[in-house]
């Protein structure tokens, strides 16, 4: 869809047919990784799967225009694919990818515009999202929290077919014998991730010789006891997690929190503010050590570094079993694929 009508459908898609077509918005590294995980899981279950990704649009100054451009790009991508091939079921990854969809399909999402696009930021997205969610043959949220976050979504989900399917997160390797990094944080979007709050808390409580590693973004920052690791390949980033004692999170809102789940899977203690949103790691963090979840981030960090609860990493490993690739694969085989086949029939 454009200002004057519908987006053109390109004609460069492959021929043939697949059981499932995943329409990936791919606007962040986390979304791209989650979509690849879903494709791989469906393929391991025996389905034929294609994944088409929206072409990144130009940068925009407002969330309303940003969502419009990404939704239009997703429509163009799926139209191009469907001109040359057939799909039994279509999965739109994110509600934004489904907004201008050419045909109804399953909607997979971490959070909805009704929750993360308040006020004028979601003026046109929220009403259109309600229509798309109501028409979807299956809602596929990343978490139960994402399904029940807003009254609007609860009303839709109450009369819809739903299945909460997490993004799989496994340990990235064996634990390092020594955790020589005191703390680490992920700041791909520094303002959204609350990097200012993390740095303030760190400055208050760090002991001489302790280091905070900031990963995920190239920043010009000089502060004692802080090292900027920048945007790293996934393997290098996860290796840093295995060396870190604490992962610090101060997100102003968390739509899911893959970075926090990865930190728990790799044995870090999670120090976090109680951010709003369908923050999947938050109830786990509270269960593991409620002292480490606080609006007073400095006090929680001081506890983690100076008075950690025994056996945290082992209990975190057990708590993360629900997110393992094997667990997710079983749910795909036993629950998701049968529903997709019913939709295709």
């Amino acid at each position: 869809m454009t200002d004057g009508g519908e987006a053109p459908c390109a004609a460069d898609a492959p021929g043939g047919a697949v059981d499932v077509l995943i329409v990936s918005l791919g606007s962040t590294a986390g979304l791209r990784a989650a979509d690849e995980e879903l494709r791989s899981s469906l393929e391991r279950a025996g389905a034929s799967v294609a994944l088409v990704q929206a072409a990144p649009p130009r940068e925009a100054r407002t969330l309303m225009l940003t969502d419009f451009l990404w939704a239009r790009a997703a429509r163009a991508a799926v139209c191009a694919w469907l001109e040359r091939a057939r799909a039994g079921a279509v999965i739109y990854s994110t509600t934004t990818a489904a907004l201008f969809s050419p045909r109804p399909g399953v909607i997979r999402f971490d959070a909805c515009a009704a929750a993360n696009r308040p006020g004028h930021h979601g003026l046109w997205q929220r009403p259109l999202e309600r229509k798309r969610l109501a028409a979807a043959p299956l809602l596929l949220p990343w978490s139960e929290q994402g399904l029940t976050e807003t009254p609007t979504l609860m009303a839709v989900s109450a009369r819809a077919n739903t299945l909460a399917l997490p993004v799989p997160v496994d340990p990235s390797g064996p634990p390092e014998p020594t955790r020589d990094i005191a703390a680490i944080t992920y700041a791909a979007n520094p303002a959204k991730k609350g990097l200012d709050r993390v740095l303030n808390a760190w400055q208050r409580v760090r002991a001489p010789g302790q280091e905070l590693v900031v990963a995920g973004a190239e920043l010009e920052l000089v502060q004692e006891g802080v090292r900027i690791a920048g945007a790293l390949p996934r393997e290098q980033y996860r290796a840093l997690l295995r060396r870190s004692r604490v992962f610090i999170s101060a997100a102003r809102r968390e739509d899911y929190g893959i970075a926090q789940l990865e930190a728990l899977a790799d044995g870090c203690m999670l120090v976090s503010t109680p951010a709003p949103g369908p923050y999947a790691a938050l109830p786990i963090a509270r269960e593991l050590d409620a002292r480490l979840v606080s609006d007073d981030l400095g006090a929680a960090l001081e506890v983690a570094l100076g008075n950690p609860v025994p056996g945290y990493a082992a209990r975190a490993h057990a708590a993360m079993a629900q997110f393992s690739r094997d667990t997710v694969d079983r749910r795909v085989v036993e629950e998701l694929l049968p529903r997709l086949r019913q939709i295709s029939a």
Side-chain angles (χ1 to χ4, degrees):
M1 183 177 291
T2 67
D3 295 38
E6 294 187 346
C9 296
D12 56 357
V18 296
D19 298 322
V20 183
L21 172 64
I22 299 173
V23 183
S24 173
L25 198 69
S27 54
T28 68
L31 286 174
R32 292 190 293 271
D35 294 339
E36 288 291 349
E37 284 284 1
L38 179 60
R39 173 166 69 173
S40 297
S41 186
L42 284 165
E43 288 176 340
R44 287 192 293 271
S48 58
V49 186
L51 189 150
V52 60
Q53 188 167 304
R58 62 179 173 85
E59 290 190 12
R61 297 181 63 181
T62 68
L63 287 175
M64 285 195 297
L65 182 55
T66 296
D67 289 344
F68 175 84
L69 294 174
W70 274 108
R72 185 175 64 174
R75 176 184 171 84
V78 69
C79 282
W81 199 95
L82 290 174
E83 278 192 347
R84 291 285 187 89
R86 299 188 308 278
V90 177
I91 299 176
Y92 297 100
S93 178
T94 75
T95 61
T96 301
L99 290 178
F100 298 157
S101 55
R103 62 179 262 192
V106 177
I107 300 179
R108 179 155 167 78
F109 58 95
D110 54 354
C112 61
N116 65 14
R117 294 292 188 267
H120 69 277
H121 296 296
L123 195 61
W124 69 270
Q125 302 97 309
R126 293 191 301 270
L128 184 54
E129 177 185 72
R130 285 195 296 272
K131 293 180 182 179
R132 295 294 180 260
L133 291 171
L138 173 66
L139 301 183
L140 198 62
W142 291 15
S143 66
E144 293 288 352
Q145 299 98 309
L147 192 61
T148 59
E149 187 181 14
T150 69
T152 296
L153 190 54
M154 290 174 68
V156 171
S157 64
R159 60 178 184 273
N161 189 15
T162 64
L163 173 65
L165 186 74
V167 177
V169 177
D170 281 321
S172 61
E176 295 293 336
T178 302
R179 291 188 177 263
D180 58 324
I181 299 172
I184 188 171
T185 193
Y186 185 76
N189 184 328
K192 182 179 178 181
K193 296 301 182 184
L195 180 60
D196 56 335
R197 297 192 284 185
V198 172
L199 294 175
N200 288 337
W202 178 249
Q203 199 62 31
R204 282 169 46 201
V205 306
R206 67 171 289 267
Q210 289 182 333
E211 183 180 59
L212 167 68
V213 173
V214 180
E218 303 295 341
L219 302 170
E220 294 184 4
L221 175 68
V222 178
Q223 182 172 321
E224 188 176 2
V226 176
R227 173 163 60 96
I228 306 300
L232 298 169
R234 189 175 186 83
E235 295 78 11
Q236 293 181 29
Y237 169 68
R238 296 294 299 269
L240 287 177
L241 289 180
R242 298 196 302 273
R243 293 171 51 196
S244 301
R245 294 166 59 194
V246 176
F247 183 95
I248 311 174
S249 174
R252 287 173 166 81
R253 172 186 162 83
E254 195 56 83
D255 287 340
Y256 187 69
I258 289 180
Q260 293 90 324
L261 293 172
E262 289 176 339
L264 288 171
D266 281 332
C268 297
M269 290 178 282
L270 176 55
V271 168
S272 179
T273 54
Y279 185 0
L282 189 61
I284 299 174
R286 284 187 167 128
E287 181 181 347
L288 293 171
D289 190 346
R291 302 173 301 166
L292 307 190
V293 179
S294 174
D295 285 313
D296 189 343
L297 199 64
L301 181 56
E302 201 165 25
V303 170
L305 293 173
N307 187 26
V309 66
Y312 187 103
R315 291 190 299 115
H317 179 77
M320 287 295 296
Q322 62 187 302
F323 296 95
S324 74
R325 188 169 284 109
D326 287 345
T327 299
V328 173
D329 278 356
R330 281 196 297 272
R331 297 203 68 187
V332 167
V333 169
E334 296 171 3
E335 299 181 67
L336 176 57
L337 196 51
R339 297 191 196 193
L340 294 178
R341 287 171 173 156
Q342 287 180 349
I343 292 168
S344 303

